[in-house]
Structure formats: structure tokens, C-alpha cells
């Protein structure tokens, strides 16, 4: 069998590779040239396989095992230490579960609070919004609501997504471009993506890399919507798209926009540093794709994903195998350690000398649990 099992160490390795993937995404997202040449697809694929990696923490029998005889054995010994009837490892797992539950409750409360506040928006009739929606987005079957209580254009909801926009002085063409961006959020299922990452953040709340990556999700989705909205546009059309966004920014107060995991906004002060990059990417993107560059990027990403399953770090284990008997379990009932006068450390099983080990090996299971005798 290629797949041997899912172990504590395969899960630890999966979390490490997941975190590394997020760091690489964050680095590449800030590289405007990479985004211009490659779009956002490569980063979305890298995010997807990073998530798959942590959700499928599998051990493969042919993987290269990197033995750890220092750090991991010490961690193993510490987590196995008993405090009363509980081990430190079980206490840590308890804290992990409590923290996850707390984050889920907190975020659920925030989502419900946001839904409640949106439900109190004063909706006003707007003939222009209805006309643009009917003429350009009839097939999308989306609802657009205009309200003086809305801070910036946004999309909210999961099953029945809705677009909310403030009262804006825009031409029909400008409004169409703004709605096009918001519709892209709905087409891409961005609220579901953000909700799913919320669950990951809750599961790995103790990992600062995972916790701080939430902002990058917002950045990537905004870039993706911009690229999808301007796909096939000539440069002058892209300039008009950016001018429409600038016009909205002049008429709104994005600093008052409150982030929520089920809301996607056109502009947000939390991603203010992204605005310059968004504009530069849209202006510099070319209509002719650099296929070779994209293929090379995707090849590297997929190769890295496969290789992540070919390496696993584990503590040094001692396999006390006896070919005639098929194997021996060392327990406190059938085995003990004897330190002779010349400081040789020997393992005895059922009263018979079995093997010799080194002093550093005594800190690792199962040897750390055996009784130690000193020869007189």
C-alpha cells in the first residue's frame, strides 16, 4: 500500500507545508510583475492545493523519512508527561478545541450582528440601478439595493447574494462597471471562499501565519474580480473602469467599511495598500497571455505539492524486531534497562539480554518508560 496511515507527524508536516504555502502566496501576491504576467490563477491554485495538503495529511510508504533525534523526541517526551490522569498532549488538544470553539462562536456572532445591521438599511427606489441591472445583468438574477446607510458597494449573503450600493452620482456606464465588479464576487463564490477560510482560521487559531492570512484572501479576491471584470478590455476601457472606482472612492468613506467574512466590498481601508497594485495590474496587463510563463508557474506549484508528500519528518524510533518471532513489544512487565560497570547500556527482555543502546536513546519511547537498574 502506498498510503500507510495518518499520524500525528503527518499532520504536523501537513500544517508546516500549509503554512509555507501561505507564506509563498503572500510573497508572490506582493510581486506586481508576477500578477501582471501570470494573473491570479496560479495563486488561487496554490491556495487550493495548500488547503488540500492540510486536509489530507497522509503518510506514504515510499516517502523519504527525515529522522529527528533531538527536537521531536523531546516534544514527544514532554507531551507524554502526565499531570494527574492527563498528559500534557491531551491538555494541549483540549485547549486547541476550546480555542476553535471560541473563534467559531465569536465569528458567528459577528456575522449575525452584521446581517442584523444590514437588515435595518433604509432601501430607496433607484431607477438608474434597476435600468442598468435589467439591461446588463439580467441573466445573473441578482438583486441590487440602493441605501443611504451603505458605506461602500458590497456583496453580502451566501445562498441569495445581494448587492448593496450607496447613493452615488454615476453615469450608466460607470454604474455598469461598478456592478460588474460586484457581480464577479457572486460568480466566483467569494463569500463561500471567505467563509471556508474562516473555518480554517478557527481550526488553526494558534498559528499566526494562518490567522494573519485572512487579509490576503481579501486581496486575492479583489484582484481576481478586477482581472475578470477587465478581461478582454482595451487599455482605454480599463482606464474607464479605474476612473469609475476612483469616482466611487471620492463619494464614499471606505474607512467606515466594516470587514465581515460574508461581505465583499469594492474598496476597504483594510486593503488600502492594495489599491495602487490593483490599478497598476489593470493598466499593465496585456491582452496576450504569456502561456509559457503560466505553464512554468503551474508546473512548479504542482510539483511542490507532490513533493510535499514525499518527505516526512519523524522522531527516531527503535524497531526491536526479531525475525523468528516477528517482533517484540517492550513494556515495563517484560523488559528493563541495565547499566553495567563499564557504563554499557543493555536492554533485557524476559531476563535475557536483547540489545545494546546509547545513553541518548533512553529519552525516547519505549525506552524512557522502562525501569533502569545499575550493575553493582
Amino acid at each position: 500500500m502506498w498510503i500507510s496511515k495518518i499520524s500525528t507527524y503527518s499532520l504536523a508536516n501537513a500544517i508546516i507545508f500549509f503554512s509555507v504555502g501561505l507564506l509563498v502566496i503572500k510573497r508572490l501576491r506582493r510581486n506586481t510583475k508576477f500578477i501582471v504576467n501570470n494573473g491570479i490563477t496560479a495563486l488561487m491554485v496554490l491556495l487550493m492545493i495548500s488547503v488540500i495538503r492540510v486536509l489530507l495529511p497522509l503518510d506514504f510508504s515510499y516517502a523519504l523519512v527525515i529522522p529527528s533525534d533531538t527536537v521531536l523526541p523531546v516534544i514527544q517526551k514532554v507531551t507524554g508527561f502526565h499531570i494527574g490522569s492527563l498528559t500534557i498532549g491531551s491538555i494541549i488538544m483540549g485547549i486547541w478545541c476550546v480555542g476553535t470553539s471560541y473563534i467559531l462562536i465569536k465569528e458567528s456572532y459577528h456575522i449575525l450582528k452584521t446581517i442584523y445591521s444590514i437588515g435595518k438599511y433604509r432601501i430607496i427606489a433607484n431607477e438608474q440601478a434597476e435600468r442598468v441591472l435589467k439591461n446588463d445583468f439580467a441573466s445573473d438574477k441578482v438583486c441590487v439595493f440602493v441605501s443611504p446607510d451603505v458605506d461602500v458597494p458590497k456583496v453580502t449573503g451566501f445562498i441569495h447574494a445581494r448587492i448593496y450600493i450607496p447613493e452615488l452620482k454615476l453615469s450608466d456606464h460607470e454604474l455598469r462597471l461598478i456592478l460588474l465588479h460586484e457581480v464577479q464576487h457572486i460568480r466566483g463564490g467569494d463569500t463561500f471562499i471567505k467563509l471556508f477560510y474562516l473555518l480554517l482560521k478557527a481550526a488553526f487559531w494558534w498559528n499566526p501565519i494562518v490567522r494573519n492570512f485572512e487579509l490576503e484572501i481579501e486581496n486575492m479576491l479583489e484582484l481576481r474580480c478586477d482581472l475578470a471584470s477587465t478581461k478582454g478590455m482595451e487599455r482605454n476601457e480599463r482606464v474607464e473602469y479605474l476612473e469609475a472606482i476612483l469616482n466611487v472612492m471620492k463619494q464614499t468613506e471606505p474607512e467606515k467599511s466594516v470587514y465581515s467574512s460574508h461581505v465583499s466590498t469594492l474598496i476597504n481601508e483594510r486593503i488600502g495598500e492594495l489599491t495602487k497594485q490593483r490599478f497598476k495590474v489593470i493598466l499593465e496587463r496585456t491582452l496576450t497571455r504569456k502561456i509559457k510563463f503560466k505553464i512554468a508557474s503551474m508546473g512548479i506549484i504542482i510539483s511542490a505539492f507532490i513533493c510535499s508528500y514525499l518527505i516526512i519528518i519523524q522522531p527516531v524510533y527503535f524497531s526491536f524486531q526479531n525475525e523468528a518471532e516477528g517482533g517484540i513489544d517492550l513494556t515495563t512487565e517484560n523488559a528493563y534497562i541495565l547499566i553495567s560497570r563499564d557504563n554499557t547500556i543493555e536492554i533485557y527482555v524476559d531476563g535475557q539480554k536483547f540489545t545494546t543502546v546509547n545513553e541518548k536513546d533512553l529519552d525516547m519511547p519505549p525506552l524512557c518508560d522502562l525501569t533502569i537498574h545499575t550493575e553493582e
Side-chain angles (χ1 to χ4, degrees):
M1 293 291 292
W2 282 10
I3 302 176
S4 56
K5 61 180 179 178
I6 297 178
S7 66
T8 301
Y9 304 104
S10 62
L11 176 59
N13 285 316
I15 295 173
I16 291 173
F17 284 115
F18 175 52
S19 301
V20 170
L22 297 187
L23 290 175
V24 172
I25 292 171
K26 190 172 185 178
R27 179 68 177 177
L28 291 177
R29 199 280 304 164
R30 295 182 178 181
N31 188 329
T32 302
K33 185 177 180 180
F34 178 88
I35 303 298
V36 169
N37 291 332
N38 205 59
I40 205 71
T41 303
L43 297 188
M44 297 301 293
V45 171
L46 180 54
L47 176 62
M48 180 183 68
I49 64 176
S50 296
V51 172
I52 292 174
R53 185 65 180 87
V54 79
L55 295 180
L56 296 176
L58 305 176
D59 273 351
F60 286 85
S61 56
Y62 55 81
L64 173 64
V65 177
I66 300 177
S68 171
D69 57 2
T70 53
V71 178
L72 289 185
V74 171
I75 293 176
Q76 187 180 51
K77 184 177 180 180
V78 171
T79 55
F81 183 79
H82 280 77
I83 299 179
S85 60
L86 300 175
T87 63
I88 291 180
S90 62
I91 294 174
I92 292 175
M93 289 301 298
I95 295 174
W96 186 345
C97 293
V98 170
T100 298
S101 300
Y102 170 75
I103 296 296
L104 290 176
I105 294 173
K106 178 182 176 182
E107 292 294 338
S108 297
Y109 171 76
H110 180 67
I111 290 175
L112 292 175
K113 184 179 179 181
T114 304
I115 292 174
Y116 175 75
S117 62
I118 290 176
K120 295 177 66 177
Y121 282 169
R122 294 168 293 167
I123 305 301
I124 60 176
N126 188 289
E127 187 271 336
Q128 183 189 31
E130 294 176 0
R131 182 176 63 253
V132 173
L133 184 66
K134 181 179 179 180
N135 293 338
D136 298 286
F137 304 100
S139 61
D140 288 288
K141 297 180 180 180
V142 297
C143 297
V144 177
F145 298 94
V146 179
S147 171
D149 302 320
V150 177
D151 38 31
V152 294
K154 64 181 65 177
V155 173
T156 182
F158 300 108
I159 305 300
H160 303 291
R162 297 181 175 186
I163 298 175
Y164 288 89
I165 60 175
E167 294 181 280
L168 298 170
K169 295 180 180 179
L170 301 173
S171 66
D172 282 12
H173 181 59
E174 288 177 320
L175 181 59
R176 186 187 71 81
L177 293 174
I178 296 304
L179 291 181
L180 176 61
H181 178 95
E182 300 307 317
V183 168
Q184 293 297 343
H185 280 300
I186 298 174
R187 292 172 180 172
D190 290 0
T191 51
F192 289 99
I193 293 174
K194 294 173 68 175
L195 179 63
F196 181 75
Y197 192 80
L198 169 63
L199 299 177
L200 285 177
K201 186 184 75 170
F204 301 104
W205 58 268
W206 47 268
N207 188 332
I209 297 174
V210 178
R211 190 171 60 250
N212 296 330
F213 191 78
E214 186 176 41
L215 181 59
E216 283 303 317
I217 295 290
E218 190 84 3
N219 294 338
M220 291 168 62
L221 294 180
E222 289 304 318
L223 282 167
R224 188 179 71 164
C225 283
D226 286 334
L227 292 172
S229 298
T230 57
K231 183 178 180 180
M233 288 186 180
E234 297 294 340
R235 182 178 175 81
N236 64 310
E237 294 175 301
R238 283 176 272 151
V239 170
E240 292 174 354
Y241 174 82
L242 296 178
E243 288 176 342
I245 294 179
L246 285 174
N247 197 356
V248 172
M249 294 177 68
K250 293 176 182 178
Q251 300 182 52
T252 58
E253 298 178 293
E255 66 276 3
K256 293 184 179 181
S257 178
V258 179
Y259 174 82
S260 177
S261 57
H262 84 297
V263 174
S264 296
T265 59
L266 176 69
I267 45 180
N268 193 310
E269 282 299 299
R270 294 177 78 248
I271 54 175
E273 60 90 14
L274 181 71
T275 303
K276 291 182 179 179
Q277 186 187 40
R278 288 174 63 184
F279 279 42
K280 193 170 184 180
V281 167
I282 294 172
L283 288 175
E284 293 184 4
R285 69 177 300 186
T286 58
L287 297 181
T288 56
R289 299 281 186 173
K290 297 186 177 181
I291 302 300
K292 292 183 178 179
F293 188 88
K294 294 188 67 176
I295 292 176
S297 300
M298 295 298 292
I300 293 173
I301 291 171
I302 295 174
S303 297
F305 172 69
I306 295 173
C307 289
S308 71
Y309 280 105
L310 303 180
I311 300 175
I312 184 169
I313 304 173
Q314 288 184 345
V316 175
Y317 283 105
F318 292 92
S319 180
F320 299 101
Q321 298 295 324
N322 183 304
E323 293 182 1
E325 299 177 5
I328 295 177
D329 292 328
L330 301 186
T331 66
T332 55
E333 286 76 21
N334 70 347
Y336 63 89
I337 299 171
L338 177 65
I339 301 178
S340 62
R341 292 189 183 91
D342 61 357
N343 290 325
T344 300
I345 303 174
E346 301 170 337
I347 307 297
Y348 279 76
V349 179
D350 296 327
Q352 301 294 322
K353 180 180 175 180
F354 179 67
T355 189
T356 301
V357 297
N358 297 319
E359 183 178 358
K360 65 177 183 178
D361 301 334
L362 300 181
D363 292 330
M364 291 176 286
L367 303 187
C368 61
D369 297 323
L370 302 182
T371 303
I372 299 177
H373 299 282
T374 303
E375 187 176 37
E376 298 296 337

